[in-house]
């Protein structure tokens, strides 16, 4: 006789109901007519609730019909952001159901419509996004492709970094690398062990300089997942696409007001997740490693530090034309741009010292005055009696953790016979900021530490007239050498010499040719060079000097060959110097051998064989 176990049958009916309910829940979203969903509601109603929470705030809940702690926590997050009664109890009552229906109605094509409610009180830079349906992911170009992401921490900031009272500081940087498909990151959930809102007031998530979400930290926005022991910071609706094969870094910044109730070390658990969807519409939660956030008890230090460095756009070594030849008429020349960066506190600079050096003559003869400038404004000017210029009694503010750029300028005496009040033709002037002599204070008037070496500018060479040199085409080829299987290198460098409007320029081609060199002198045999010159064939007073007419350009092309037979290896050709003068060489035999501004005047390298 067949025995029927009623408990077994009941269990089967429950399982069947859950199976049917799961299929219902996976269909397109639609509003419910229920007025309340609680732990005692039907599995189908609970699954509707879970599906809707997943859709409107990417809750990541299992749609299983079980009204557990995660479902309760997700409802609390939704209530805190979307209901006006102020009630945050984790129960989907009449007002909560109405708000869920309204939020769900805004879902269209995988995004929440403009102006729709966003989750957990965050201020988002873009619309809230939701997981799409139909096997595609909006914003992802690799349609239909499955993929994944790997999640690691960047080395900076370091783990367990202290965020002091009164500070706002990055505490973690998540590196997200997409493989197989573009990956659309929709949320970041951080499981933590402390009521973080007692130690900080705001958490900000950024993609580089773009702020993705700013979360006010309080009991409503940080979900309590286990009573009194576990909480969750939920950054939902992120809508960040990581292109396949690339890495994005998402940075979490914590802000602590000076008046903070608690000081705790917050543990970010290894159960924390990043959810991302691939081009096939597959959404996966990826765990991240454990982390510590040290919300220290100390008050932020007010003692600042100052770092100095040469600005990236500071003038390169170059010829400076246009100096006056009239007695007493000065010419301003920028010598360097310097970056001043304040750290930990606002900085006020009260003294700077610059030292000048000259390649010929004396600084005191050639430089009438040295200026400190902020853009076009002259902050201080020092008449030069020695090689040192001290800028005292300054009042230059550098905001905390920002960079201010200042410039050193020289007022150059006119070009003339070397001596007091005149600059030697071709004199090179170099400025150096002496860091040890820099004086600055912070907001509390404490003397700050200057944590950098002296800043040295590039050399500026002074002329009334000087040519402009411009690199043209270069070539490097490896061709058949002295025998079959042997390789020699053939090279060429073209450059244009433009004479200033007030003077012709004469280029000593022979001497310049002699200065062409191999980039790796040990490779190959002796370099053999020749030249061709565009334009007129007129020369200066001495053979070998080619004339460039005032205000006009002229192109020189140097060709070189490195035969096989020396040491095997890669080699190329480079310009070492250009010899020129602004006066006919026959009458004034004092040409300039220019070695500056030629670092890019070189070819690539090719292989040359040994004999």
């Amino acid at each position: 006789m067949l025995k029927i176990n009623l408990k077994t049958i009941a269990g089967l009916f429950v399982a069947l109901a859950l199976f049917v309910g799961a299929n219902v829940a996976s269909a397109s979203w639609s509003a419910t007519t229920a007025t309340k969903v609680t732990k005692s509601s039907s599995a189908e109603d609970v699954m509707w609730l879970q599906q809707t929470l997943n859709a409107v705030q990417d809750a990541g809940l299992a749609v299983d019909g079980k009204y557990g702690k995660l479902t309760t926590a997700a409802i609390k997050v939704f209530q805190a952001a979307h209901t006006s009664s102020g009630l945050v109890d984790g129960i989907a009552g009449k007002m909560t159901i109405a708000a869920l229906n309204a939020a769900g109605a805004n879902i269209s094509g995988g995004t929440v419509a403009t102006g729709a409610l966003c989750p957990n009180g965050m201020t988002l830079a873009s619309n809230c996004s939701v997981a799409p349906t139909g096997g595609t992911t909006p914003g992802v170009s690799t349609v239909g492709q499955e993929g994944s992401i790997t999640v690691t921490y960047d080395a900076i900031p370091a783990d367990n970094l202290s965020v002091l009272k009164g500070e706002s500081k990055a505490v973690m940087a998540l590196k997200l690398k997409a493989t197989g498909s573009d990956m659309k990151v929709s949320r970041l959930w951080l499981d933590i062990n402390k009521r973080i809102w007692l130690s900080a007031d705001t958490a900000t998530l950024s993609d580089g300089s773009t702020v993705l979400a700013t979360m006010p930290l309080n009991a409503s926005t940080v979900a309590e997942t286990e009573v009194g022991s576990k909480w969750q910071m939920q950054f939902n609706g992120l809508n960040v696409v990581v292109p396949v094969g690339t890495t994005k870094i998402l940075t979490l910044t914590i802000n602590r007001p000076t008046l903070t109730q608690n000081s705790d070390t917050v543990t970010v658990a290894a159960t924390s997740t990043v959810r991302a969807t691939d081009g096939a519409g597959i959404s996966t939660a990826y765990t991240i490693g454990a982390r510590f956030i040290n919300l220290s008890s100390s008050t932020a230090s007010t003692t600042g530090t100052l770092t100095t460095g040469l600005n990236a756009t500071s003038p390169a070594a170059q010829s400076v034309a246009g100096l006056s030849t009239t007695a007493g008429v000065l010419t301003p020349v920028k010598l360097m741009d310097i970056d001043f960066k304040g750290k930990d506190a606002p900085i006020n600079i009260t003294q700077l010292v610059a030292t000048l050096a000259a390649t010929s003559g004396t600084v005191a003869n050639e430089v009438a005055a040295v200026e400190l400038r902020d853009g076009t404004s002259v902050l201080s000017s020092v008449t030069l009696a020695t090689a040192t210029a001290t800028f005292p009694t300054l009042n230059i503010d550098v905001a905390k953790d920002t960079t201010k750029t200042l410039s050193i300028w020289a007022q150059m005496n006119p070009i003339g016979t070397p001596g007091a009040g005149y600059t030697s033709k071709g004199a090179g002037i170099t400025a150096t900021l002496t860091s040890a002599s820099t004086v600055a204070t912070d907001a509390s008037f404490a003397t700050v530490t200057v944590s950098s070496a002296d800043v040295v500018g590039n050399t500026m060479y002074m002329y009334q007239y000087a040519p402009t040199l411009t690199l043209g085409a270069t070539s490097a080829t490896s061709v058949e050498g002295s025998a079959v299987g042997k390789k020699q290198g053939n090279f060429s460098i073209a450059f244009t010499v433009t004479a200033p409007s007030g003077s012709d320029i004469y280029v000593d081609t022979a001497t310049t040719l002699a200065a062409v060199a191999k980039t790796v002198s040990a490779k190959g045999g002796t370099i053999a060079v020749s030249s061709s010159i565009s334009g007129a064939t007129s020369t200066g007073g001495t053979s070998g000097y080619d004339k460039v007419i005032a205000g006009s350009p002229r192109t020189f092309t140097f060709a070189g060959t490195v035969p096989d037979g020396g040491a095997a290896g890669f080699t190329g050709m480079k310009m070492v110097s250009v010899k020129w003068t602004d006066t006919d060489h026959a009458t004034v035999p004092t040409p300039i051998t220019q070695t500056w501004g030629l670092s890019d005047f070189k070819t690539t390298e090719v292989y040359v064989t040994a004999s």
Side-chain angles (χ1 to χ4, degrees):
M1 182 177 178
L2 180 63
K3 292 184 179 181
I4 298 175
N5 188 318
L6 296 179
K7 291 182 66 176
T8 301
I9 292 175
L12 289 172
F13 274 116
V14 171
L16 180 61
L18 290 177
F19 176 77
V20 173
N23 281 294
V24 171
S26 64
S28 299
W29 181 90
S30 60
T32 184
T33 58
T35 57
K36 188 174 185 179
V37 179
T38 66
K39 294 181 179 180
S40 60
S41 296
S42 68
E44 184 176 343
D45 281 346
V46 175
M47 283 191 286
W48 174 90
L49 178 65
Q50 292 166 331
Q51 182 196 32
T52 304
L53 288 167
N54 285 345
V56 299
Q57 66 180 31
D58 192 21
L61 299 171
V63 184
D64 57 7
K66 297 177 182 179
Y67 200 129
K69 291 179 179 178
L70 289 177
T71 301
T72 301
I75 293 170
K76 287 182 178 180
V77 170
F78 181 84
Q79 288 172 324
H82 303 322
T83 58
S84 59
S85 66
L87 179 64
V88 180
D89 58 4
I91 299 173
K94 183 176 181 180
M95 292 185 64
T96 302
I97 293 293
L100 283 165
N101 277 332
N106 282 310
I107 301 171
S108 175
T111 62
V112 174
T114 303
L117 298 170
C118 292
N120 77 331
M122 292 191 301
T123 302
L124 296 177
S126 61
N127 291 341
C128 309
S129 67
V130 297
T133 59
T136 60
T137 307
V140 169
S141 61
T142 51
V143 177
Q145 295 185 25
E146 295 186 14
S148 63
I149 60 171
T150 55
V151 186
T152 58
Y153 286 111
D154 198 22
I156 300 173
D159 191 16
N160 204 23
L161 184 71
S162 293
V163 184
L164 307 177
K165 293 180 180 181
E167 285 188 329
S168 182
K169 188 179 291 185
V171 295
M172 66 171 65
L174 286 172
K175 295 170 68 176
L176 310 177
K177 182 176 181 179
T179 303
S181 167
D182 295 352
M183 298 297 294
K184 186 173 184 178
V185 177
S186 56
R187 67 160 172 82
L188 167 65
W189 285 1
L190 301 176
D191 294 325
I192 58 177
N193 68 331
K194 297 287 177 66
R195 295 178 176 88
I196 192 171
W197 63 87
L198 299 179
S199 303
D201 66 353
T202 309
T204 301
L205 191 67
S206 303
D207 175 7
S209 60
T210 302
V211 175
L212 300 175
T214 300
M215 179 189 295
L217 299 176
N218 53 59
S220 297
T221 59
V222 182
E224 187 173 31
T225 55
E226 289 189 15
V227 178
S229 62
K230 291 183 180 180
W231 294 264
Q232 195 172 69
M233 298 169 61
Q234 297 184 359
F235 292 92
N236 298 310
L238 297 180
N239 197 22
V240 175
V241 175
V242 184
V244 62
T246 68
T247 300
K248 271 191 179 292
I249 296 181
L250 303 186
T251 303
L252 179 68
T253 300
I254 297 295
N255 182 74
R256 297 190 71 198
T258 303
L259 299 176
T260 301
Q261 180 177 337
N262 284 8
S263 296
D264 284 318
T265 296
V266 177
T267 301
V268 177
T271 56
S272 302
T273 58
V274 171
R275 180 169 289 278
T277 306
D278 61 18
I282 301 172
S283 178
T284 307
Y286 300 87
T287 57
I288 64 178
R291 191 79 171 180
F292 297 97
I293 303 173
N294 185 0
L295 304 178
S296 174
S297 60
S298 301
T299 300
S301 171
T302 57
T303 301
T305 58
L306 181 67
T307 57
T308 57
L310 193 66
N311 183 272
T313 60
S314 187
Q318 59 189 277
S319 301
V320 178
L323 265 69
S324 171
T325 57
T326 303
V329 177
L330 307 180
T331 304
V333 176
K334 182 191 283 191
L335 301 179
M336 65 191 302
D337 292 318
I338 311 163
D339 287 338
F340 296 86
K341 183 174 182 179
K343 184 180 178 182
D344 299 327
I347 303 296
N348 181 262
I349 301 172
T350 57
Q351 176 181 285
L352 295 173
V353 176
T355 302
L356 273 59
T359 58
S360 62
T362 66
V363 171
N365 284 344
E366 298 171 347
V367 181
V370 182
E371 296 174 345
L372 178 68
R373 296 191 185 187
D374 181 0
T376 58
S377 300
V378 178
L379 304 179
S380 181
S381 180
V382 178
T383 300
L384 211 60
T386 65
T388 300
T390 299
F391 303 104
T393 62
L394 300 174
N395 183 24
I396 302 170
D397 289 324
V398 182
K400 177 184 175 182
D401 298 327
T402 64
T403 299
K404 189 173 188 64
T405 302
L406 302 176
S407 305
I408 301 292
W409 287 67
Q411 289 288 351
M412 299 301 303
N413 283 319
I415 294 286
T417 303
Y422 285 94
T423 297
S424 305
K425 178 181 178 181
I429 302 296
T430 308
T432 299
L433 179 75
T434 308
S435 293
S437 300
T438 299
V439 179
T441 59
D442 61 18
S444 61
F445 302 101
T447 300
V448 305
T449 302
V450 181
S451 59
S452 52
D454 291 349
V455 182
V456 183
N458 295 305
T459 304
M460 304 292 112
Y461 296 88
M462 308 298 172
Y463 298 98
Q464 179 187 13
Y465 301 113
T468 300
L469 307 181
T470 306
L471 178 64
T474 66
S475 68
T477 56
S478 182
V479 300
E480 195 73 26
S482 60
V484 175
K486 300 299 181 181
K487 293 292 183 180
Q488 72 178 33
N490 287 350
F491 310 96
S492 69
I493 299 174
F495 66 98
T496 299
V497 178
T498 302
S501 59
S503 173
D504 298 333
I505 293 293
Y506 300 86
V507 179
D508 184 346
T509 309
T511 303
T512 301
L513 272 174
V516 174
K518 292 176 292 184
T519 56
V520 183
S521 59
K523 306 302 180 185
T526 303
I527 190 168
V529 291
S530 60
S531 69
S532 64
I533 305 166
S534 71
T537 58
S538 61
T539 65
T542 301
S543 176
Y545 273 75
D546 292 283
K547 182 178 181 180
V548 183
I549 299 172
S552 300
R554 195 170 184 189
T555 299
F556 296 76
T557 300
F558 291 167
T561 299
V562 177
D564 63 275
F570 285 90
T571 190
M573 187 174 78
K574 66 179 179 181
M575 297 283 296
V576 176
S577 63
V578 175
K579 194 171 184 180
W580 60 270
T581 181
D582 60 353
T583 309
D584 193 320
H585 184 65
T587 57
V588 183
T590 55
I592 303 297
T593 300
Q594 179 175 333
T595 58
W596 53 91
L598 302 176
S599 59
D600 293 332
F601 285 49
K602 60 185 178 182
T603 70
T604 56
E605 295 185 353
V606 296
Y607 193 75
V608 178
T609 59
S611 57

